[in-house]
Every structure is written in C-alpha cells, then in structure tokens.
Amino acid sequence: MNKSRTVIRRHQYADYLNVGTADAAKWVLMGTGFTTLDEEPGAQTESVKYVNEVSSSSSIVSYETTFPFEAEQIATEEAITAIYEVGRNHYVGADAEFEYCRVELWNPAGAAEDAGHSFEARKFVVAVEVSDFTGENKMTISGNLNAVGDPILGTFDTTALAFAPAA
C-alpha cells in the first residue's frame, strides 16, 4: 500500500468536550451518539483592486470557525447531556461556552515515552448553539459549536485526558 496516498479518515480525529471547569477539567469523548461533527474554518476574506491592476487581490483577514454537529440523545453520554442542557435551559453567554479539543490521532506528539497517547491538538472555546431537538423514534440534537476567539495549538494526552499548550 502506498502510504503517501493514505487518506485521513474521520475516526482518526478525536473530539473532546470539557464538561468540568477550566480549573478542574473533565474532558469527555464526543464519540458514541454523534453522527456528525464536522469543521468549517469559515475563512473571511478582504479584496482590493488597485487602479493600476486588472484583477483584485484577496487576503484572509479572519476566521469564523464552526463545528456543525448532530447527535442521538443518549442520556449516559456526558457531552450530549451538556449540549442538551444548553438548549433545554436556554443558556446564554458564558453559561453556553465550553472548552473543546480536536485531536489528530494520526499525528503523534512529544517524546518517545509519550508515543501512542499524546497527539497534536487544537483547543477552542466554543459557544454551543442548539438548533433542533427532533425525532419520531430516536431523539436527535443538532446545531453548531461556534469558536470564540482563536484556537490554542498544543497536544492532548488521550490517557491522562489533558491538554497542554504548545511552548
């Protein structure tokens, strides 16, 4: 098999939500129950056309990142319950914000002794936007995790369930 053409698969991303606090983190995997959890970087551009040029020039000026999700409402899944409570209780502002890590399981990080459980990751603060509670047989929750500010680059230890910012 030609490894240079190996495509990253969805299960090689691990998504974690901090259902604790910033001081006493409790990272839980957003896996079982989630049928969709995508990333839309939302690059914002600005264009300018100078009088001596025929074509405009564009540059990236910011990002408006969202993570659209859909999940079956499984009561024992802590991340789903935390998201459900935001919509059910109509939380706003800081009450609707969580820390969220997107971990690249194909991208090991750190020293050799960390191999196998420490991976490149990005930590975001996200505002949970619950759009729908729907279903006839199975109840589902859908919406977006909207990034608040810039991501923090670092590593995530999948054994210790801890994020470490890059130096």
Side-chain angles (χ1 to χ4, degrees):
M1 181 172 170
N2 185 348
K3 290 193 181 235
S4 67
R5 292 189 181 188
T6 301
V7 176
I8 303 300
R9 304 201 35 174
R10 177 60 183 94
H11 73 274
Q12 292 176 289
Y13 281 96
D15 300 274
Y16 289 87
L17 193 68
N18 180 2
V19 296
T21 65
D23 296 327
K26 182 179 181 186
W27 293 99
V28 295
L29 181 65
M30 300 170 79
T32 300
F34 284 86
T35 56
T36 303
L37 182 50
D38 295 327
E39 179 174 357
E40 297 175 359
Q44 305 296 301
T45 61
E46 187 175 89
S47 296
V48 63
K49 182 177 172 234
Y50 297 110
V51 295
N52 64 326
E53 296 177 342
V54 175
S55 300
S56 296
S57 298
S58 295
S59 60
I60 306 296
V61 295
S62 67
Y63 288 87
E64 230 175 87
T65 304
T66 61
F67 299 91
F69 68 86
E70 182 171 283
E72 294 177 343
Q73 190 175 349
I74 299 174
T76 56
E77 291 297 317
E78 291 180 84
I80 294 171
T81 297
I83 291 168
Y84 168 73
E85 288 175 353
V86 168
R88 180 193 71 190
N89 299 339
H90 292 202
Y91 291 156
V92 298
D95 292 335
E97 293 178 359
F98 293 84
E99 291 179 315
Y100 164 71
C101 275
R102 181 150 257 217
V103 182
E104 300 169 352
L105 298 177
W106 76 91
N107 198 358
E113 63 270 10
D114 294 332
H117 59 87
S118 184
F119 302 93
E120 295 293 325
R122 294 169 294 146
K123 182 173 81 169
F124 297 82
V125 172
V126 293
V128 175
E129 169 197 339
V130 177
S131 302
D132 290 304
F133 298 121
T134 59
E136 190 170 313
N137 293 318
K138 294 180 182 178
M139 288 302 296
T140 62
I141 301 169
S142 61
N144 294 300
L145 304 177
N146 299 307
V148 177
D150 294 325
I152 298 170
L153 303 179
T155 60
F156 192 88
D157 185 316
T158 57
T159 301
L161 298 178
F163 177 82

